[in-house]
């Protein structure tokens, strides 16, 4: 008996719970819209709403009952009744009566619209009746804005969605009559963020008309499909695909595509330097490199997994505050979802921020800046790539240190008591005089400079080719005291007017020789044999280059660059009518580079094997002293280009700016040394030392050896200077 009572009580409780749940789920009936709002008897009218009773729903048109075709919870389809009249459309569902709005009996009606979504310019096809008029053309309004009708007859209208239409009802007006149809969902992309990234970048798309179900939006990056992570009517978050490509982003909904801004694919961030690599929480760390975002929020930096605060952001530099609790561990940098791992960072009260200068040779005094140093010089142990240096003076934030005798390129580390800090890289770099110098007269009227694989240099002086051995010893190599055109062994060979010299990859030397309308290219083999390999009857300007296949390039006065053929003839190679004055460079791909040569031609030209030359860097009209990319760079009077075989960069001298510079294959110009690091034009003189201290005067020859060392013929200083970069 007791068990039966428990069962009955449970049954009553379950029934009550079910009744309460059903009551809670019951949705009150309502009408939100209907269309069309006019037509003849028999017109299909679709009523949208909520809570319709599937078994007990009816409608009447101004009191005349209508036939109900179908009903579900949100849509009721009815036929405008015969004998009905214009007036209120009412809906009765269950025990509720609702007024939907006014229905007008007339010839103008709308039966279908396709598509019901799309961007500006979408052609919307409207099917109905009464669209023709003898009085005035029909009008189509979308969300109150007039659309452009591209086609019309009595039963069909085609209209283009206007710009910035927005979402709203479609309305057709003919001869003062109008019919309202369904709502059109206007699609638009107002912005995407970020505009740059790579695979896996999360891109936020802002706009309108998106499907609130993620799967209802197809997003592509230049045709490559992304993954929609979240969706609202005004915003999508999308992960780029692994094969993402640069190009316009698009969103497709129900087959209608909306095209947005271009998404640009860039590589992951590149980290060049991070300083300091240790320090206390709250201090700033400077990260230099490439492919950062100029928007701080698009860069994320972690210290051993703890996020730092990006205070300042540029495409090549980030300044980040060290977070509390960083401890010791590797740094990581994310830019728009792309990750690059960094070095180990240590949270402590000792750190090295910078070196000044950051390059030099043995004996250079370097100021080490940082935090946590001891004011007692002896308590600071400083090493250059593992070699201990002499600390001359010290404060809590600076150390004056002398670069040791056997200094090499590497990090500068500081140890104080039990703490040690890794600092930036110090480069064994600087300028020394290899031969000659002011007052020696050794290089008076000398010109040109090239070298072989054994470290020997060659230049022209008077009627001779001269040689500089690796230890700086200068000697006569070919030619004599009198002029002439004599081939043969070095001891017998004579030259008339040698003016340009270069070398190929096999250590053959080539000399442009001759005067007036008769010029020759003379070849000197490593075995010491001189021969004439090209005979030219024309007025040349002095340019000379030889590629890896032995093809010779020369420049004719005001006619451009020509190249040699196997039969000894010349064919035009560059279409620019330049008179190139000096040595040109050819890279491994056969691209030719040459300098304009004076204040009126402050640029470097590149000519690919196709001969379609272009300005590689500098400006056709503006000279100056600015490093930078392509046309943004400013040159003074560039002269004598040469290839760095270790990097592919093209080095040249810039005499107005009294410096040595180079341009990368992509067109970025950088200054190596000269003008005492001031970027002041005409700042000349004679000084060896660090890259930022060195001074030059009127250079007219340059060569880069296979170790990346640079040699410059500094004629007015009567010297050949050597520049160490490693």
């Amino acid at each position: 008996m007791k068990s039966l009572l428990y069962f009955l009580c449970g049954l009553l409780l379950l029934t009550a719970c079910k009744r309460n749940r059903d009551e809670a789920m019951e949705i009150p009936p309502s009408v939100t819209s209907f269309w069309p709002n006019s037509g003849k008897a028999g017109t299909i009218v679709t009523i949208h709403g909520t809570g319709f009773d599937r078994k007990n729903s009816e409608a009447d048109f101004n009191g005349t009952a209508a036939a109900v075709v179908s009903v579900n919870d949100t849509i009721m389809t009815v036929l405008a009744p015969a004998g009905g009249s214009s007036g209120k459309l009412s809906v009765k569902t269950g025990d509720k009566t609702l007024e939907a709005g006014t229905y007008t009996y007339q010839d103008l009606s709308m039966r279908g619209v396709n598509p019901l979504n799309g961007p500006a310019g979408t052609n919307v096809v409207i099917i109905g009746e009464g669209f023709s008029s003898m009085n005035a053309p029909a009008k189509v309004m979308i969300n109150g804005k007039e659309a452009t009708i591209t086609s019309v007859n009595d039963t069909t209208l085609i209209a283009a969605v206007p710009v910035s239409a927005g979402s709203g009802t479609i309305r057709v007006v003919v001869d003062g009559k109008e019919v309202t149809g369904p709502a059109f969902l206007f699609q638009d992309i107002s912005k995407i963020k970020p505009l740059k990234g790579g695979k896996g970048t999360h891109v936020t798309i802002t706009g309108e008309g998106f499907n609130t179900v993620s799967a209802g939006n197809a997003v592509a990056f230049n045709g490559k499909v992304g993954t929609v992570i979240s969706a609202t009517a005004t915003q999508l978050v999308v992960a780029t695909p692994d094969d993402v490509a640069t190009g316009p982003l698009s969103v497709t909904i129900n087959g209608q595509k909306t095209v947005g801004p271009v998404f640009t694919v860039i590589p992951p961030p590149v980290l060049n330097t991070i300083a300091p690599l240790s320090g206390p929480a709250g201090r700033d760390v400077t990260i230099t490199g490439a492919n950062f975002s100029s928007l701080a929020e698009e860069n994320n930096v972690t210290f051993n997994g703890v996020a730092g605060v990006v205070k300042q952001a540029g495409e090549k530099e980030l300044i980040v505050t060290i977070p509390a609790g960083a401890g010791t561990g590797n740094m990581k940098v994310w830019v728009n979802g792309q990750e690059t791992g960094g070095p180990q960072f240590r949270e402590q009260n000792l750190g090295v921020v910078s070196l000044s200068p950051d390059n030099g040779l043995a004996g250079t005094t370097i100021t080490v800046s940082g935090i946590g140093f001891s004011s007692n010089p002896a308590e600071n142990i400083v090493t250059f790539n593992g070699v201990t240096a002499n600390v001359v003076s010290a404060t809590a934030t600076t150390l004056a240190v002398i670069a040791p005798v056997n200094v090499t390129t590497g990090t500068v580390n500081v140890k104080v008591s039990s703490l040690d800090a890794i600092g930036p890289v110090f480069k064994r770099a600087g300028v020394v005089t290899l031969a000659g110098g002011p007052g020696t007269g050794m290089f008076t009227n000398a010109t040109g400079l090239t070298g072989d694989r054994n470290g020997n240099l060659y230049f022209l002086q008077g009627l001779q080719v001269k040689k500089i051995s690796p230890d700086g010893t200068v000697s006569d190599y070919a030619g004599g005291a009198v002029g002439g055109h004599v081939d043969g062994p070095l001891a017998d060979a004579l030259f008339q007017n040698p003016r340009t010299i270069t070398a190929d990859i096999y250590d053959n030397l080539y000399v442009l020789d001759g005067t007036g309308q008769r010029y020759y290219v003379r070849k000197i083999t490593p075995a010491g044999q001189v021969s004439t390999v090209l005979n030219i009857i024309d007025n040349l300007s002095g340019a000379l280059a030889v590629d890896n296949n032995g093809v010779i390039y020369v420049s004719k006065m005001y006619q451009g660059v020509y190249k040699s053929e196997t039969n000894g003839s010349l064919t035009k190679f560059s279409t620019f009518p330049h008179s190139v004055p000096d040595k040109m460079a050819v890279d491994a791909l056969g691209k030719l580079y040459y300098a304009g040569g004076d204040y009126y031609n402050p640029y470097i030209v590149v000519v690919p094997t196709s001969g379609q030359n272009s300005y590689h860097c500098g400006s056709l009209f503006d000279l100056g002293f600015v490093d930078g990319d392509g046309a943004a760079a400013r040159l003074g009077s560039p002269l004598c280009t040469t290839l760095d075989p270790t990097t592919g960069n093209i080095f040249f001298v810039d005499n107005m700016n009294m410096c040595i510079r180079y341009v990368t294959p992509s067109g970025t110009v950088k200054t190596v040394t000269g003008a005492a690091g001031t970027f002041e034009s005409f700042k000349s003189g004679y000084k060896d030392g660090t890259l930022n201290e060195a001074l030059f005067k009127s250079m007219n020859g340059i060569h880069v050896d296979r170790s990346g060392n640079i040699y410059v013929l500094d004629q007015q200083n009567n010297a050949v200077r050597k520049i160490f970069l490693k």
Side-chain angles (χ1 to χ4, degrees):
M1 186 67 181
K2 185 180 292 185
S3 299
L4 180 60
L5 288 173
Y6 285 153
F7 174 75
L8 292 173
C9 288
L11 185 60
L12 290 170
L13 182 61
L14 181 62
T15 303
C17 290
K18 184 178 184 301
R19 183 174 65 250
N20 290 339
R21 185 169 64 250
D22 290 344
E23 290 172 353
M25 293 176 62
E26 188 174 301
I27 300 172
S30 67
V31 174
T32 56
S33 65
F34 73 96
W35 74 275
N37 66 342
S38 72
K40 298 177 180 179
T43 297
I44 299 173
V45 178
T46 302
I47 305 167
H48 295 268
T50 59
F52 294 155
D53 189 329
R54 300 187 181 202
K55 297 180 179 180
N56 186 20
S57 291
E58 56 189 54
D60 68 72
F61 286 65
N62 203 25
T64 302
V68 178
V69 178
S70 64
V71 181
N72 62 31
D73 292 345
T74 59
I75 298 176
M76 180 186 301
T77 304
V78 300
L79 299 177
S85 59
S86 298
K88 297 294 183 183
L89 169 59
S90 299
V91 173
K92 185 177 182 182
T93 180
D95 59 354
K96 300 285 187 181
T97 299
L98 308 168
E99 288 192 0
T102 300
Y103 183 86
T104 302
Y105 274 80
Q106 60 182 15
D107 291 337
L108 182 61
S109 185
M110 193 184 305
R111 292 200 306 270
V113 178
N114 186 58
L116 282 173
N117 67 289
T122 299
N123 282 325
V124 177
V125 179
I126 304 170
I127 306 298
E129 294 180 283
F131 297 151
S132 296
S133 171
M134 299 298 292
N135 300 320
K139 288 185 178 181
V140 175
M141 314 296 288
I142 298 177
N143 192 35
K145 296 182 176 63
E146 186 171 354
T148 300
I149 296 176
T150 58
S151 178
V152 61
N153 59 41
D154 193 58
T155 59
T156 305
L157 275 172
I158 300 177
V161 176
V163 175
S164 303
S167 299
T169 57
I170 297 174
R171 187 163 55 95
V172 177
V173 180
V174 181
D175 291 340
K177 301 174 184 178
E178 67 176 61
V179 57
T180 299
F184 181 86
L185 187 63
F186 182 74
Q187 293 172 213
D188 182 61
I189 298 173
S190 57
K191 68 175 181 178
I192 67 172
K193 185 179 180 182
L195 287 166
K196 299 178 181 179
K199 67 176 183 178
T201 296
H202 286 193
V203 178
T204 298
I205 306 169
T206 302
E208 59 180 299
F210 304 142
N211 195 313
T212 56
V213 177
S214 296
N217 307 276
V219 180
F221 297 80
N222 198 23
K224 308 296 183 180
V225 178
T227 301
V228 180
I229 298 170
S230 64
T232 69
T234 58
Q235 193 172 87
L236 302 175
V237 178
V238 187
T240 60
D242 288 349
D243 57 349
V244 61
T246 295
L249 175 146
S250 65
V251 178
T252 302
I253 303 168
N254 297 327
Q256 300 302 309
K257 179 188 287 187
T258 303
V259 179
V262 169
F263 180 83
T264 302
V265 176
I266 60 172
V270 175
L271 309 183
N272 291 337
T273 64
I274 299 177
L277 280 172
S278 62
R283 293 297 295 260
D284 291 338
V285 171
T286 299
I287 304 172
T288 65
N291 304 329
F292 303 143
S293 172
S294 57
L295 300 175
E297 64 270 20
E298 292 183 2
N299 306 278
N300 295 293
V301 181
T302 61
F303 298 72
N304 193 27
V306 182
V309 177
V310 180
K311 291 174 59 177
Q312 295 180 31
E315 292 184 356
K316 296 183 179 181
E317 183 179 272
L318 301 176
I319 298 178
V320 188
T321 301
I322 302 167
T328 298
N330 286 350
M331 295 179 65
K332 290 184 178 180
V333 177
W334 286 267
V335 180
N336 296 329
Q338 297 196 90
E339 174 188 343
T340 296
Q344 187 180 83
F345 181 88
R346 182 177 298 171
E347 184 183 8
Q348 63 179 20
N349 290 320
L350 178 66
V352 180
V353 175
S354 64
L355 309 174
S356 181
D358 64 358
N359 65 87
L361 303 173
T364 302
T365 300
I366 298 101
T367 299
V368 181
S369 300
I371 54 173
F373 302 149
S374 171
S375 57
N376 181 353
E379 293 179 353
N380 303 279
I381 300 174
V382 180
T383 58
F384 285 68
N385 201 23
V387 180
T388 303
N390 180 29
V391 180
V392 178
S393 63
T395 70
T397 57
T398 60
L399 302 174
V401 186
I402 305 298
V405 172
N406 50 349
V407 64
T408 57
T409 296
T411 60
V412 174
N413 299 344
V414 177
K415 184 175 182 179
V416 179
S417 187
S418 62
L419 300 179
D420 59 88
I422 299 173
V425 170
F426 179 84
K427 294 176 290 185
R428 180 183 179 269
V431 179
V432 298
T433 297
L434 178 66
T440 64
M442 289 180 60
F443 297 96
T444 301
N445 297 324
T447 185
L449 195 65
T450 192
D452 62 25
R453 289 174 290 182
N454 296 317
N456 299 303
L457 300 176
Y458 303 88
F459 67 97
L460 303 174
Q461 191 172 33
L463 300 172
Q464 292 181 301
V465 178
K466 295 199 172 186
K467 176 180 176 180
I468 307 175
S469 62
D471 65 0
T473 301
V474 179
S475 59
D476 297 340
Y477 186 65
V482 297
H485 187 121
V486 178
D487 290 338
L490 292 176
D492 299 332
L494 294 177
F495 295 85
Q496 288 179 306
N497 181 32
R499 53 189 300 179
T500 311
I501 186 169
T502 190
D504 65 17
I505 59 174
Y506 306 106
D507 290 343
N508 296 300
L509 302 181
Y510 294 81
V511 178
L512 182 62
D513 188 25
T515 59
Q517 295 289 316
R518 173 73 70 176
Y519 282 88
Y520 314 92
V521 175
R522 315 281 296 279
K523 179 179 179 180
I524 308 174
T525 67
Q529 287 294 316
V530 179
S531 62
T532 300
V533 293
L534 198 61
N535 190 338
I536 307 162
I537 302 176
D538 210 330
N539 191 7
L540 299 188
S541 63
L544 180 64
V546 181
D547 69 17
N548 292 348
N549 298 314
V551 176
I552 300 170
Y553 300 82
V554 295
S555 174
K556 294 185 179 182
M557 191 69 71
Y558 306 119
Q559 296 181 56
V561 177
Y562 288 72
K563 70 175 183 177
S564 65
E565 302 295 343
T566 54
N567 62 3
S569 64
L570 293 175
T571 57
K572 194 162 189 177
F573 183 60
S574 167
T575 59
F576 284 169
H578 292 145
S579 299
V580 189
D582 212 294
K583 184 172 71 169
M584 303 180 291
V586 185
D587 68 15
L589 299 176
K591 292 182 180 179
L592 180 75
Y593 298 83
Y594 62 81
D598 57 33
Y599 307 116
Y600 302 103
N601 300 289
Y603 44 74
I604 302 293
V605 173
V606 58
V607 191
T609 54
S610 64
Q612 299 298 315
N613 40 242
S614 61
Y615 295 104
H616 192 53
C617 64
S619 170
L620 180 61
F621 303 106
D622 298 327
L623 48 81
F625 198 171
V626 180
D627 286 350
D629 297 331
R634 291 292 177 268
L635 315 182
S637 50
L639 190 66
C640 357
T641 56
T642 191
L643 174 71
D644 178 359
T646 66
T647 64
N649 295 325
I650 304 299
F651 280 75
F652 59 95
V653 299
D654 187 338
N655 271 332
M656 184 189 86
N657 297 316
M658 300 297 173
C659 64
I660 291 86
R661 309 175 79 177
Y662 70 87
V663 58
T664 66
S666 63
T668 300
V669 175
K670 294 186 178 181
T671 298
V672 177
T673 186
T678 62
F679 278 78
E680 295 178 13
S681 299
F682 300 106
K683 187 174 180 63
S684 65
Y686 175 76
K687 186 176 183 181
D688 288 340
T690 68
L691 298 179
N692 286 341
E693 293 174 333
L695 290 171
F696 300 82
K697 184 185 293 185
S698 190
M699 301 160 284
N700 61 351
I702 187 169
H703 171 69
V704 182
D705 69 18
R706 295 183 179 275
S707 297
N709 298 308
I710 306 166
Y711 302 85
V712 177
L713 177 58
D714 190 1
Q715 192 210 37
Q716 284 197 18
N717 282 321
N718 273 293
V720 169
R721 317 281 290 279
K722 182 176 182 178
I723 304 164
F724 298 88
L725 292 183
K726 297 182 179 180

